Amino acid sequence: FFFFFFFFQAEDGIRDFCLSRGLGDVYKRQDKHDTEDKADEQEQRREEIPAQPTTEEPRPQIKDYDQVLRSIFDRTSQPLDSVTVAMQVLGVFSLPQTWKSRVPEEDANRYQVTFGEMRAEGGRIRPKQLTEEEKKALEEAQTKGKKPAKPEKKKPEDEAAELQAKEEQEALLREKRLKQEEERKQMDPQTLFYTEKEDPFMEPAIVFEAVNENEEVVGNVVTEEFKEEALANLEEAVNQKNGCWVYFDRLPALEEEDPKKKAKPPAKKGAQEADNKPVHGKAWLPFDQIVAPGGVEVIQRIDLTTVIEEPPKEDPPEDKKEVKKEAKKESKKEVKEEPNPEDLVLFETAKTYVYIKLTLSQPVNPPPNPNAPSRPIDVLNKMPIILKAPNAEDAAKLYRLQLEKAAKEIAKDYNGMETDRRSSEQQLTQKQKEKKIQRKRKEFIDEFNRTGKYNSLKEELKKTIARIAYEKFKKVQGSAMIKDQFYSELYVYLIEQMNLSVELVAKQKADEFPEDIMAAREFAYKRKEDIMSKVFQESLPSRLERLYKEYERSGEFDIAEKYILDIINLDSANKEPWMRYYKFAMKTDNISKAEECLKEALAIDPENVDYLLAMAGILIQRKRYKAAEAHVKRVLKSDFTFIPGNILIAIIYELTGHNGLFKKHIEIAKRKKMRDLNLLPAKGSLRFDAPLSDPSRQLTSEEVDLLFYGLAEFMLKNKQSHIAEKVMSYIQDKDSLKYLMNTARCYFIRRAYTESLAELHKLLEKDPKNQRALKYKGHALFLQGNLFDSEEAYVLAIRIKPYPKSLTLYERLGELYLRRKSWSDAQVVFYKCCAEPNRNSSVSWKKLGVSYLKLGRLVEAEDALTQASILDNDGAEIWGYVALMCLVARERDVQAEQSLAEAFRLDLHNVGLLESIGNCYFDKGDYGKAVECFERAVRNSPEEGALLLKLGNSYANMGERSRDALECYERAFEYTEGENNKMEIAHIISNFVESNPEVAEDSAEILEKIKPYIE
């Protein structure tokens, strides 16, 4: 592990740690002895950032990102907005025995087959056809006893020809009959049954013929276009039920309205009278053939089941007279006959079946595309790299990638070296092994330098480091002190990034790393974690998690981000930290970082529904609708009726102009909600063609609104206010408390606090004791800087029972008291925060200590700050306040200096705290320390005139930095507002120039500027 650290310690080769000059010395030496490097550095700043290095094959570089998306998604399946279905009823066979004896001319019944919204009508009974022998026998029977007609005289040769043709025809029929008998002997029983029942010479059947407007027979194919609700039903039947019910009905003849038309003869009384009653049956049509990808046709023989339908129940009359009339009618009615038991199983007994064929214009499930990506995350990962203007984030990322590459190459070479010698180390003692490892490392370092591998890796990093120096650490011109500070900060940053990158590679490639390196690494980290666990009484992951929440809650996002990154580095294969980082990035408006975090989480758990929906929301916000659609389809693949998924994909289709698909998926969501509310029967029990226009089975407006609230609140939880606002635009009741609350949250997340307060005002007019609304009102006013009204809202929320448990509310209430300099009130609030059990918050203890410090209660302040440092030993502000407390207490200068050094090491950047410490040192006459504090404050707030003035005074009192003092005075004059303030600084500059003649040459310009204020 240690040679990775040595790698960055020297410019011209790897050296031992104690012999290294360090990166800062390298830059200083270059500054003295190599003036040409300055010009080279300026030239490097104008160069473009090279493409990120990768071990994969080079990717094509193109300019049009949308073109790439189209080229990828055009190869994937497109959703259906309509499909045309053709239904052909090939017949109803194996009829009940009572139906077979019917005379077709006397049968006035109507026969129909229904599938979905399609209906094949005009069915008729086709009687059994007669064979030639049966026709001949029938003719003989009809002519028996009658005098035969005189046959016409024919020529002998004609008679012979007719006889021969007749014999040949009979021979062919015999041969055909024998062949059919032979084939039927070889058939299985089911096939034989179907063959015999469908043979027109053996069994009667019901056939269907469609009739056009002119009552002309045009065939038995019925076509219908399915779209919107009908298409949603069809897709549900295919993908969820894997089939649907087909209904067969025999209905009585309609009464003839046209008197000119001949009425059909009435049915005979007796056995046939029962045959004129309505009969209903249903058969389950499996969709296996069209469920399969690419399937467009299903042809099936489906067995009918008898259905007994009860008559509809009528509502009882309200009028008393009507009740009496109804009672009289009931008394006159005959006793209802019980149904014939044979009628209950009419079709089952006869084994009646429907032979049906469905043909779709396009498949519901398109065939798989071998070129299409298997997962949405794969689509995003395969996108080509688009070069863009350089920035600090890109340079830092490139630097980390190069470090990871270098670490892998070094580990590979070192591991190879270890493999060659592993056999010779098996018999050594532990001490001998340690000595051999040290010797081996030294040999490797020498070899690494000698072969030139070091120089090649160094050159690769050189340009990136120069870019980081320019992009990330923008130097303030003028002061020599800032240059030295820049070198130190750059060195610390590069080493820190190196450690993070090497740590990441060591975790990812643990099996490939040398055993001695991994053993040393694991021992060092285990020891550190054990020490911290003993001190803080909590594990390292729990501690980092707690600190992240504390600083995120208090709005110190830069510190919070540091801790969430530490959590990820501890276990980058865990999806939860990546999701926390995603929400943090959304909260700080870093949508590109949020997308990157979601990609990492999806790579770990690619089927997580919440992650897929969140990624789709981000892609919609970035107007990458095709990619968003791919993610939502991944969700719907596992559950076609999932309500949030259907609503989200409906929004995508609406935004892309596919209104038919939008309506279809909204209908799917509604049907799912109706089933959840028991307004629709369970799947498989609902007649497929049942209309949804029945008011008794429709969703109310409140129930429809609930569909959208689920997705809206999910998006708000994920900080995606733009998508939540779009979802809520479909809600009908815009005056409800729930709508007003969610709308206020949308504005709050977008930092539109004025609009959020307007919605909260409407809500509180309707419900003045809504605790949640009062808390949001307090937060919005606090973030606007309206401290007095914010206090009022917080106090009202606290007085409502049950008392709020939100630590954010109490900490912000205490913070506003600190800002208003109400030290006593702040002390009371933060003491309550710290006194709560199981609420060990370093931020609360720190601010309690500040409150005590401002009140002059130094003993209590020290106790509170000590507790804060125990909970957060790396808190720069905590160490800064400890230093301030020691300075205020006097005679504790050594402790103050040590605490300040630790605060500086941890990058203290609280301007107000730095200014207070600087004031203490200035008052004590320690101008060097005052300069150090004021310089840090100025770097964090470079346009604050009061700070620049104090820094200038500190430089002036040091006596050796008069030019730096003049520069600070000049900038203070420029940034200070108010004529009186400018006049005061002008007199300070004038007096300073008079008493310091060495700056006279540099002061001509500033003296000209201040001349009007002095005169």
Side-chain angles (χ1 to χ4, degrees):
F1 178 72
F2 300 100
F3 57 82
F4 296 119
F5 184 70
F6 299 152
F7 177 74
F8 300 98
Q9 295 298 315
E11 176 209 14
D12 49 359
I14 296 180
R15 298 187 175 163
D16 190 75
F17 180 71
C18 59
L19 299 178
S20 173
R21 292 189 293 270
L23 188 60
D25 290 336
V26 170
Y27 273 103
K28 291 178 182 177
R29 187 171 68 258
Q30 287 178 343
D31 195 34
K32 291 179 181 178
H33 301 291
D34 196 359
T35 56
E36 294 180 358
D37 282 353
K38 291 185 177 180
D40 293 340
E41 184 181 355
Q42 292 176 358
E43 185 65 28
Q44 293 293 339
R45 294 174 185 173
R46 292 190 289 269
E47 292 181 0
E48 285 190 359
I49 289 184
Q52 298 178 355
T54 176
T55 56
E56 301 176 359
E57 295 181 1
R59 301 172 179 176
Q61 297 178 0
I62 65 174
K63 296 180 180 180
D64 190 354
Y65 188 78
D66 293 332
Q67 179 184 349
V68 181
L69 280 175
R70 285 195 297 272
S71 66
I72 289 177
F73 286 102
D74 284 347
R75 299 195 300 270
T76 63
S77 61
Q78 296 298 319
L80 294 175
D81 54 2
S82 67
V83 62
T84 302
V85 180
M87 178 179 71
Q88 183 177 11
V89 181
L90 302 175
V92 180
F93 302 98
S94 188
L95 302 178
Q97 192 62 39
T98 55
W99 295 18
K100 294 179 182 179
S101 58
R102 298 296 299 268
V103 179
E105 291 75 9
E106 297 179 357
D107 185 15
N109 292 316
R110 296 176 292 122
Y111 300 92
Q112 63 184 32
V113 173
T114 305
F115 163 76
E117 298 179 357
M118 306 173 67
R119 180 171 288 124
E121 298 177 325
R124 62 178 179 83
I125 293 181
R126 181 199 66 196
K128 174 189 170 185
Q129 306 295 309
L130 300 178
T131 61
E132 293 298 326
E133 291 85 353
E134 291 172 335
K135 287 180 181 178
K136 186 176 180 181
L138 181 62
E139 288 177 1
E140 290 177 355
Q142 290 175 350
T143 56
K144 189 176 181 182
K146 293 181 181 180
K147 187 177 181 179
K150 266 188 179 183
E152 294 181 4
K153 290 185 179 181
K154 296 181 181 178
K155 295 180 180 180
E157 57 271 18
D158 293 340
E159 290 182 359
E162 285 182 7
L163 183 62
Q164 185 179 355
K166 189 175 181 181
E167 290 175 354
E168 288 177 357
Q169 187 177 5
E170 290 177 353
L172 288 173
L173 290 172
R174 283 194 301 272
E175 185 181 350
K176 184 179 179 181
R177 193 181 306 111
L178 290 172
K179 187 178 179 181
Q180 288 177 348
E181 290 176 359
E182 192 65 30
E183 288 177 352
R184 290 179 180 180
K185 287 179 183 179
Q186 296 176 0
M187 293 180 182
D188 61 87
Q190 188 66 40
T191 307
L192 179 60
F193 174 78
Y194 289 143
T195 304
E196 290 178 350
K197 295 298 180 183
E198 294 169 18
D199 189 341
F201 297 102
M202 297 185 70
E203 288 278 343
I206 296 176
V207 294
F208 289 81
E209 293 176 345
V211 179
N212 63 12
E213 296 177 355
N214 299 324
E215 298 187 359
E216 297 172 346
V217 177
V218 294
N220 60 350
V221 178
V222 182
T223 59
E224 183 79 26
E225 184 181 14
F226 283 62
K227 57 185 179 181
E228 298 178 6
E229 181 183 344
L231 180 58
N233 295 341
L234 178 62
E235 288 186 336
E236 181 181 346
V238 172
N239 294 313
Q240 300 297 314
K241 303 176 185 177
N242 193 23
C244 73
W245 290 108
V246 173
Y247 293 89
F248 169 75
D249 302 295
R250 189 190 74 175
L251 304 173
L254 296 174
E255 293 183 3
E256 194 66 56
E257 295 180 0
D258 190 353
K260 295 181 181 180
K261 290 189 178 180
K262 244 184 184 181
K264 291 187 178 181
K268 296 179 181 179
K269 293 184 178 180
Q272 286 193 354
E273 188 175 357
D275 290 342
N276 292 328
K277 293 181 180 179
V279 180
H280 308 284
K282 66 178 181 178
W284 181 256
L285 176 61
F287 282 163
D288 296 331
Q289 294 166 311
I290 55 177
V291 166
V296 294
E297 185 178 88
V298 55
I299 179 167
Q300 289 281 347
R301 296 175 176 90
I302 49 179
D303 296 333
L304 279 172
T305 304
T306 309
V307 176
I308 304 298
E309 290 193 357
E310 295 183 1
K313 295 181 180 179
E314 298 179 358
D315 295 333
E318 297 181 0
D319 190 6
K320 292 182 179 180
K321 293 181 180 180
E322 292 294 328
V323 173
K324 291 180 180 179
K325 288 181 182 179
E326 291 293 330
K328 288 181 181 179
K329 287 181 182 178
E330 290 294 329
S331 62
K332 293 179 181 179
K333 283 184 181 178
E334 297 180 1
V335 180
K336 185 178 178 182
E337 298 180 2
E338 292 294 327
N340 188 348
E342 294 181 359
D343 293 342
L344 300 178
V345 288
L346 181 67
F347 295 132
E348 292 87 341
T349 304
K351 297 183 179 180
T352 308
Y353 65 90
V354 179
Y355 194 9
I356 189 171
K357 176 182 178 182
L358 295 180
T359 306
L360 278 62
S361 60
Q362 52 187 321
V364 174
N365 297 320
N369 188 344
N371 299 321
S374 60
R375 301 179 303 168
I377 191 67
D378 297 334
V379 176
L380 299 178
N381 290 337
K382 289 180 180 179
M383 297 307 300
I385 295 173
I386 310 300
L387 298 182
K388 54 184 179 180
N391 55 53
E393 184 179 351
D394 289 340
K397 187 175 181 180
L398 178 58
Y399 176 66
R400 289 193 296 271
L401 289 172
Q402 290 174 336
L403 289 173
E404 290 173 16
K405 179 183 175 184
K408 290 175 184 177
E409 291 183 5
I410 294 171
K412 183 178 178 181
D413 293 345
Y414 186 82
N415 203 24
M417 184 179 182
E418 182 188 8
T419 304
D420 298 338
R421 304 181 183 184
R422 189 173 292 147
S423 58
S424 63
E425 295 178 358
Q426 293 177 353
Q427 305 300 325
L428 299 178
T429 63
Q430 186 63 29
K431 274 192 174 182
Q432 289 173 329
K433 285 182 179 180
E434 289 177 1
K435 287 182 180 179
K436 194 151 190 171
I437 287 172
Q438 295 294 334
R439 186 167 60 252
K440 184 169 58 176
R441 289 178 183 171
K442 187 177 183 305
E443 290 176 5
F444 175 77
I445 290 172
D446 293 340
E447 178 73 12
F448 194 74
N449 286 327
R450 185 178 58 79
T451 56
K453 290 183 179 179
Y454 169 78
N455 287 326
S456 63
L457 291 174
K458 183 191 75 172
E459 290 301 321
E460 192 173 352
L461 288 168
K462 189 174 180 181
K463 293 181 179 180
T464 310
I465 292 174
R467 190 167 295 107
I468 289 174
Y470 175 67
E471 296 292 341
K472 188 172 183 65
F473 298 91
K474 296 187 183 296
K475 293 185 286 185
V476 180
Q477 299 296 327
S479 160
M481 175 279 305
I482 293 177
K483 190 174 182 181
D484 293 340
Q485 184 69 29
F486 159 71
Y487 287 140
S488 301
E489 289 182 359
L490 177 62
Y491 176 72
V492 170
Y493 175 78
L494 294 176
I495 293 299
E496 189 179 73
Q497 294 299 310
M498 179 204 71
N499 290 332
L500 290 174
S501 299
V502 173
E503 175 69 18
L504 182 61
V505 174
K507 284 183 179 180
Q508 293 175 346
K509 305 288 183 180
D511 297 337
E512 301 176 12
F513 267 53
E515 292 180 5
D516 57 317
I517 300 299
M518 295 304 296
R521 169 185 170 275
E522 289 172 5
F523 176 77
Y525 277 95
K526 188 175 184 305
R527 185 181 176 191
K528 179 181 177 182
E529 190 171 344
D530 289 343
I531 293 171
M532 295 181 71
S533 298
K534 289 178 182 178
V535 173
F536 300 110
Q537 297 296 312
E538 61 181 344
S539 65
L540 181 59
S542 300
R543 177 173 174 269
L544 293 173
E545 176 73 17
R546 172 179 58 78
L547 291 171
Y548 160 69
K549 289 180 179 178
E550 287 179 14
Y551 286 105
E552 191 266 344
R553 189 170 57 241
S554 64
E556 299 175 75
F557 297 132
D558 53 341
I559 304 175
E561 185 172 17
K562 179 177 77 72
Y563 283 116
I564 191 62
L565 287 173
D566 288 343
I567 295 170
I568 290 173
N569 288 330
L570 278 179
D571 186 8
S572 60
N574 186 354
K575 61 188 179 182
E576 296 300 331
W578 285 111
M579 288 305 295
R580 280 194 287 273
Y581 195 15
Y582 147 72
K583 290 183 180 178
F584 174 82
M586 290 299 297
K587 188 172 184 177
T588 54
D589 295 330
N590 190 347
I591 193 169
S592 59
K593 177 61 70 177
E595 182 180 349
E596 185 180 336
C597 293
L598 268 178
K599 285 182 187 178
E600 296 290 347
L602 279 170
I604 299 168
D605 187 1
E607 301 300 326
N608 190 293
V609 172
D610 289 349
Y611 300 173
L612 290 167
L613 291 179
M615 176 62 87
I618 284 183
L619 295 170
I620 292 171
Q621 190 172 339
R622 307 191 81 177
K623 298 184 179 180
R624 290 159 58 188
Y625 301 121
K626 284 289 185 181
E629 180 186 351
H631 283 78
V632 184
K633 280 185 175 179
R634 188 76 176 178
V635 174
L636 296 178
K637 186 177 180 181
S638 58
D639 184 2
F640 182 75
T641 62
F642 184 57
I643 291 176
N646 275 288
I647 292 175
L648 193 57
I649 203 168
I651 290 172
I652 295 171
Y653 289 138
E654 185 188 34
L655 293 172
T656 53
H658 296 85
N659 292 326
L661 291 170
F662 165 77
K663 293 178 182 177
K664 180 185 85 171
H665 285 279
I666 292 295
E667 288 299 328
I668 293 173
K670 287 181 179 179
R671 288 175 64 84
K672 172 63 175 172
K673 187 66 176 178
M674 291 172 73
R675 284 203 173 93
D676 292 343
L677 297 173
N678 293 323
L679 297 178
L680 280 182
K683 291 181 181 178
S685 62
L686 176 66
R687 181 162 178 156
F688 185 45
D689 64 336
L692 290 180
S693 57
D694 183 1
S696 64
R697 291 171 50 242
Q698 287 295 308
L699 293 172
T700 64
S701 60
E702 292 82 3
E703 290 166 343
V704 174
D705 288 348
L706 287 176
L707 289 175
F708 300 104
Y709 276 124
L711 180 60
E713 289 175 357
F714 172 82
M715 289 300 175
L716 287 173
K717 185 180 176 182
N718 282 270
K719 312 299 181 188
Q720 297 191 29
S721 60
H722 291 82
I723 307 301
E725 189 173 357
K726 175 64 177 174
V727 175
M728 290 178 61
S729 66
Y730 302 108
I731 292 174
Q732 300 176 38
D733 186 3
K734 300 190 185 300
D735 292 325
S736 66
L737 298 180
K738 194 169 188 177
Y739 178 84
L740 294 171
M741 186 71 248
N742 284 315
T743 305
R745 290 175 64 192
C746 287
Y747 287 126
F748 187 87
I749 292 171
R750 296 216 310 265
R751 296 185 177 84
Y753 300 123
T754 303
E755 292 82 355
S756 179
L757 287 168
E759 298 297 321
L760 291 169
H761 178 70
K762 296 177 188 176
L763 192 155
L764 289 169
E765 281 184 344
K766 296 183 176 184
D767 184 8
K769 293 186 177 182
N770 190 309
Q771 192 180 71
R772 191 182 188 192
L774 287 169
K775 286 192 291 184
Y776 268 98
K777 180 180 178 181
H779 294 331
L781 291 167
F782 176 85
L783 295 169
Q784 276 190 330
N786 189 342
L787 302 182
F788 288 96
D789 290 342
S790 175
E791 176 194 7
E792 181 184 354
Y794 283 145
V795 171
L796 286 174
I798 291 171
R799 288 175 178 171
I800 297 173
K801 293 182 181 181
Y803 300 122
K805 297 181 180 180
S806 170
L807 194 58
T808 305
L809 187 153
Y810 291 104
E811 285 185 345
R812 282 188 173 169
L813 181 60
E815 177 65 24
L816 72 84
Y817 284 137
L818 285 178
R819 294 186 186 182
R820 286 167 46 185
K821 300 183 180 180
S822 301
W823 315 123
S824 298
D825 293 334
Q827 179 265 322
V828 171
V829 174
F830 285 120
Y831 184 84
K832 177 178 175 58
C833 293
C834 297
E836 289 288 330
N838 302 322
R839 281 191 181 177
N840 289 326
S841 169
S842 64
V843 173
S844 295
W845 280 104
K846 176 184 68 176
K847 292 184 178 180
L848 177 61
V850 174
S851 303
Y852 281 130
L853 183 60
K854 296 295 185 180
L855 290 169
R857 299 166 60 177
L858 300 184
V859 176
E860 292 92 336
E862 185 172 5
D863 290 341
L865 291 172
T866 301
Q867 183 65 30
S869 66
I870 291 172
L871 293 170
D872 182 11
N873 198 42
D874 294 330
E877 283 192 13
I878 296 172
W879 288 106
Y881 279 115
V882 171
L884 180 61
M885 181 203 65
C886 293
L887 290 170
V888 172
R890 301 184 181 278
E891 298 181 0
R892 297 182 65 176
D893 294 347
V894 175
Q895 288 178 308
E897 189 172 341
Q898 290 174 344
S899 300
L900 187 61
E902 184 67 11
F904 285 168
R905 184 185 72 80
L906 296 169
D907 190 23
L908 176 64
H909 54 265
N910 184 317
V911 174
L913 178 56
L914 288 166
E915 184 179 6
S916 298
I917 297 172
N919 290 337
C920 289
Y921 276 117
F922 189 88
D923 294 340
K924 291 169 66 70
D926 191 344
Y927 301 117
K929 288 292 183 184
V931 164
E932 197 172 353
C933 294
F934 290 137
E935 282 179 342
R936 280 182 172 267
V938 167
R939 276 202 300 276
N940 287 281
S941 184
E943 297 182 0
E944 189 169 340
L947 281 176
L948 290 164
L949 181 60
K950 290 179 179 181
L951 179 57
N953 290 336
S954 301
Y955 281 141
N957 281 283
M958 289 179 70
E960 299 175 356
R961 306 186 66 171
S962 54
R963 295 185 185 278
D964 291 334
L966 180 62
E967 180 185 346
C968 287
Y969 287 146
E970 185 176 355
R971 291 174 60 198
F973 179 81
E974 179 183 352
Y975 293 121
T976 298
E977 297 179 356
E979 294 296 317
N980 293 333
N981 294 331
K982 283 185 174 290
M983 186 180 297
E984 182 182 350
I985 296 174
H987 284 287
I988 291 172
I989 294 173
S990 177
N991 295 333
F992 178 75
V993 172
E994 288 179 6
S995 58
N996 293 275
E998 66 272 15
V999 299
E1001 295 181 1
D1002 302 327
S1003 60
E1005 185 177 350
I1006 185 60
L1007 289 174
E1008 188 66 26
K1009 288 181 181 179
I1010 66 173
K1011 190 174 181 181
Y1013 293 92
I1014 295 175
E1015 293 176 353

